[in-house]
mmCIF file with all atom_site columns, all heavy atoms in Angstrom:
data_model
loop_
_atom_site.group_PDB
_atom_site.id
_atom_site.type_symbol
_atom_site.label_atom_id
_atom_site.label_alt_id
_atom_site.label_comp_id
_atom_site.label_asym_id
_atom_site.label_entity_id
_atom_site.label_seq_id
_atom_site.pdbx_PDB_ins_code
_atom_site.Cartn_x
_atom_site.Cartn_y
_atom_site.Cartn_z
_atom_site.occupancy
_atom_site.B_iso_or_equiv
_atom_site.pdbx_formal_charge
_atom_site.auth_seq_id
_atom_site.auth_comp_id
_atom_site.auth_asym_id
_atom_site.auth_atom_id
_atom_site.pdbx_PDB_model_num
ATOM   1  N  N   . LYS O 1 22 ? 106.266 92.036 82.268 1.00 96.00 ? 87  LYS O N   1
ATOM   2  C  CA  . LYS O 1 22 ? 107.086 92.761 83.321 1.00 96.00 ? 87  LYS O CA  1
ATOM   3  C  C   . LYS O 1 22 ? 107.379 91.746 84.440 1.00 96.00 ? 87  LYS O C   1
ATOM   4  O  O   . LYS O 1 22 ? 108.616 91.781 84.882 1.00 96.00 ? 87  LYS O O   1
ATOM   5  C  CB  . LYS O 1 22 ? 106.103 93.905 83.654 1.00 96.00 ? 87  LYS O CB  1
ATOM   6  C  CG  . LYS O 1 22 ? 105.981 94.979 82.755 1.00 96.00 ? 87  LYS O CG  1
ATOM   7  C  CD  . LYS O 1 22 ? 104.932 95.977 83.216 1.00 96.00 ? 87  LYS O CD  1
ATOM   8  C  CE  . LYS O 1 22 ? 103.670 95.552 83.611 1.00 96.00 ? 87  LYS O CE  1
ATOM   9  N  NZ  . LYS O 1 22 ? 102.840 94.884 82.514 1.00 96.00 ? 87  LYS O NZ  1
ATOM   10 N  N   . SER O 1 23 ? 106.392 91.016 84.805 1.00 96.00 ? 88  SER O N   1
ATOM   11 C  CA  . SER O 1 23 ? 106.629 90.162 86.019 1.00 96.00 ? 88  SER O CA  1
ATOM   12 C  C   . SER O 1 23 ? 107.522 89.034 85.602 1.00 96.00 ? 88  SER O C   1
ATOM   13 O  O   . SER O 1 23 ? 108.479 88.725 86.416 1.00 96.00 ? 88  SER O O   1
ATOM   14 C  CB  . SER O 1 23 ? 105.277 89.501 86.555 1.00 96.00 ? 88  SER O CB  1
ATOM   15 O  OG  . SER O 1 23 ? 104.348 90.664 86.870 1.00 96.00 ? 88  SER O OG  1
ATOM   16 N  N   . SER O 1 24 ? 107.446 88.559 84.404 1.00 97.00 ? 89  SER O N   1
ATOM   17 C  CA  . SER O 1 24 ? 108.439 87.597 83.793 1.00 97.00 ? 89  SER O CA  1
ATOM   18 C  C   . SER O 1 24 ? 109.808 88.124 83.803 1.00 97.00 ? 89  SER O C   1
ATOM   19 O  O   . SER O 1 24 ? 110.750 87.408 84.155 1.00 97.00 ? 89  SER O O   1
ATOM   20 C  CB  . SER O 1 24 ? 108.053 87.133 82.465 1.00 97.00 ? 89  SER O CB  1
ATOM   21 O  OG  . SER O 1 24 ? 106.726 86.674 82.348 1.00 97.00 ? 89  SER O OG  1
ATOM   22 N  N   . LEU O 1 36 ? 104.000 86.937 90.247 1.00 90.00 ? 101 LEU O N   1
ATOM   23 C  CA  . LEU O 1 36 ? 103.081 86.143 89.619 1.00 90.00 ? 101 LEU O CA  1
ATOM   24 C  C   . LEU O 1 36 ? 102.877 86.441 88.006 1.00 90.00 ? 101 LEU O C   1
ATOM   25 O  O   . LEU O 1 36 ? 102.694 87.564 87.798 1.00 90.00 ? 101 LEU O O   1
ATOM   26 C  CB  . LEU O 1 36 ? 101.627 86.424 90.191 1.00 90.00 ? 101 LEU O CB  1
ATOM   27 C  CG  . LEU O 1 36 ? 100.640 85.242 90.204 1.00 90.00 ? 101 LEU O CG  1
ATOM   28 C  CD1 . LEU O 1 36 ? 101.149 84.041 91.046 1.00 90.00 ? 101 LEU O CD1 1
ATOM   29 C  CD2 . LEU O 1 36 ? 99.283  85.700 90.623 1.00 90.00 ? 101 LEU O CD2 1
ATOM   30 N  N   . THR O 1 43 ? 97.330  90.799 85.611 1.00 86.00 ? 108 THR O N   1
ATOM   31 C  CA  . THR O 1 43 ? 97.811  89.934 86.739 1.00 86.00 ? 108 THR O CA  1
ATOM   32 C  C   . THR O 1 43 ? 98.293  90.720 87.929 1.00 86.00 ? 108 THR O C   1
ATOM   33 O  O   . THR O 1 43 ? 97.785  90.575 89.042 1.00 86.00 ? 108 THR O O   1
ATOM   34 C  CB  . THR O 1 43 ? 98.734  88.891 86.291 1.00 86.00 ? 108 THR O CB  1
ATOM   35 O  OG1 . THR O 1 43 ? 98.320  88.156 85.197 1.00 86.00 ? 108 THR O OG1 1
ATOM   36 C  CG2 . THR O 1 43 ? 99.098  87.924 87.366 1.00 86.00 ? 108 THR O CG2 1
ATOM   37 N  N   . THR O 1 44 ? 99.277  91.670 87.657 1.00 85.00 ? 109 THR O N   1
ATOM   38 C  CA  . THR O 1 44 ? 99.927  92.353 88.690 1.00 85.00 ? 109 THR O CA  1
ATOM   39 C  C   . THR O 1 44 ? 98.967  93.590 88.975 1.00 85.00 ? 109 THR O C   1
ATOM   40 O  O   . THR O 1 44 ? 98.775  94.369 87.996 1.00 85.00 ? 109 THR O O   1
ATOM   41 C  CB  . THR O 1 44 ? 101.347 92.816 88.356 1.00 85.00 ? 109 THR O CB  1
ATOM   42 O  OG1 . THR O 1 44 ? 101.913 91.689 87.918 1.00 85.00 ? 109 THR O OG1 1
ATOM   43 C  CG2 . THR O 1 44 ? 101.974 93.511 89.521 1.00 85.00 ? 109 THR O CG2 1
ATOM   44 N  N   . ASP O 1 64 ? 108.113 95.642 90.305 1.00 96.00 ? 129 ASP O N   1
ATOM   45 C  CA  . ASP O 1 64 ? 107.273 95.329 89.066 1.00 96.00 ? 129 ASP O CA  1
ATOM   46 C  C   . ASP O 1 64 ? 105.990 96.042 89.328 1.00 96.00 ? 129 ASP O C   1
ATOM   47 O  O   . ASP O 1 64 ? 105.280 96.201 90.454 1.00 96.00 ? 129 ASP O O   1
ATOM   48 C  CB  . ASP O 1 64 ? 107.090 93.738 89.205 1.00 96.00 ? 129 ASP O CB  1
ATOM   49 C  CG  . ASP O 1 64 ? 106.030 93.210 88.253 1.00 96.00 ? 129 ASP O CG  1
ATOM   50 O  OD1 . ASP O 1 64 ? 105.929 93.811 87.113 1.00 96.00 ? 129 ASP O OD1 1
ATOM   51 O  OD2 . ASP O 1 64 ? 105.497 92.185 88.460 1.00 96.00 ? 129 ASP O OD2 1
ATOM   52 N  N   . THR O 1 65 ? 105.430 96.505 88.191 1.00 93.00 ? 130 THR O N   1
ATOM   53 C  CA  . THR O 1 65 ? 104.288 97.438 88.394 1.00 93.00 ? 130 THR O CA  1
ATOM   54 C  C   . THR O 1 65 ? 103.179 96.770 87.700 1.00 93.00 ? 130 THR O C   1
ATOM   55 O  O   . THR O 1 65 ? 103.184 95.901 86.781 1.00 93.00 ? 130 THR O O   1
ATOM   56 C  CB  . THR O 1 65 ? 104.489 98.961 87.681 1.00 93.00 ? 130 THR O CB  1
ATOM   57 O  OG1 . THR O 1 65 ? 104.675 98.745 86.379 1.00 93.00 ? 130 THR O OG1 1
ATOM   58 C  CG2 . THR O 1 65 ? 105.625 99.612 88.389 1.00 93.00 ? 130 THR O CG2 1
ATOM   59 N  N   . GLY O 1 67 ? 100.447 96.617 84.875 1.00 85.00 ? 132 GLY O N   1
ATOM   60 C  CA  . GLY O 1 67 ? 100.389 97.023 83.563 1.00 85.00 ? 132 GLY O CA  1
ATOM   61 C  C   . GLY O 1 67 ? 99.251  98.084 83.147 1.00 85.00 ? 132 GLY O C   1
ATOM   62 O  O   . GLY O 1 67 ? 98.222  98.004 83.900 1.00 85.00 ? 132 GLY O O   1
HETATM 63 MG MG1 . MG  K 2 .  ? 102.548 91.347 85.926 1.00 82.31 ? 787 MG  K MG1 1
#
Side-chain angles (χ1 to χ4, degrees):
K87 300 175 296 300
S88 302
S89 306
L101 205 63
T108 305
T109 310
D129 178 22
T130 64

